[in-house]
Amino acid sequence: MAADAGAIIAGLGGVDNIIEIEPCITRLRTEVHDASKVDAAALRAAGAHGVMAAGNIVQVVVGPEADTIASDIEDIIG
Amino acid sequence: MTTVLAPMGGTAVRLAEVPDPVFSAGMVGPGLAIDPVREPVVAVAPIDGIIMKLHPHAFVIVGDDGRGVLVHLGIDTVQLRGAGFELLTTEGARIRAGQPVVSWNPVSIEASGRSPVCPVVALDGDADYVTGLAHGRIDAGDDLFEWA
């Protein structure tokens, strides 16, 4: 199942919380302002296989469609 | 049954020992990693199929049964933005196991402070169906594991 871009943005704490989002081949590497606003359960519900957070870097594992999902997210957050 | 071949020579390493939390936890699937030989390497396709994703540092091949195998060339290598990797085929191409996909050099990856270890993952696979994991020294094209 492809993860839902809008739901991933919400799970990352919303558009204003996202500094940068970069796709690797199976994951979205994101930098956020406030990691406490990230909702790992919501990200899993949005289709993520898992979420790894270290400081303000949050990696959302979405499978090999990561680059497509990242461009969907970039289209939404502009 | 899919026989997944080693995309390069080196030493077989359990995924759990890969220095990356996503791969070591099996979050994208089970499989096996290769600690590659320290010389310029041409990574070859581990299965027959279509190149679904081709990044400089990683690629996914999907077989006719719809199952995908990921080969990731080194850890955190997305940060290199393609430097040191040369693509030898194109996304969407049909490829046979053993044909070249990317040339790269594990020596320069290691010199950049990154691990050159290469996870080979049965994407979204069930660990119970991945068997016959290779041990020790392997050459490119050797059987790496079976995916039932």
Side-chain angles (χ1 to χ4, degrees), chain A residues 22 27 49 52 64-65 67, chain B residues 20-21 52-53 81 124:
Chain A
E22 181 180 46
R27 62 186 91 168
H49 298 242
M52 313 292 294
E65 294 299 331
D67 50 0
Chain B
D20 177 278
M52 179 194 151
K53 292 287 173 192
R81 301 187 185 279
D124 294 333

Side-chain angles (χ1 to χ4, degrees), chain B residues 6 8-12 32-34 37 134-140 142-144:
Chain B
M8 69 205 72
T11 305
L32 194 63
I34 299 172
V37 291
H135 292 280
R137 269 284 313 172
I138 40 177
D139 290 321
D142 284 356
D143 290 2
L144 194 62

Side-chain angles (χ1 to χ4, degrees), chain B residues 50-96:
Chain B
I50 301 287
I51 300 190
M52 179 194 151
K53 292 287 173 192
L54 180 59
H55 293 218
H57 70 289
F59 56 91
V60 175
I61 297 178
V62 175
D64 290 337
D65 58 4
R67 298 196 293 188
V69 174
L70 166 71
V71 178
H72 203 284
L73 304 175
I75 301 302
D76 291 333
T77 39
V78 69
Q79 297 162 356
L80 297 172
R81 301 187 185 279
F85 297 89
E86 185 188 354
L87 304 184
L88 306 175
T89 182
T90 53
E91 208 165 271
R94 175 164 283 278
I95 195 161
R96 310 269 318 172

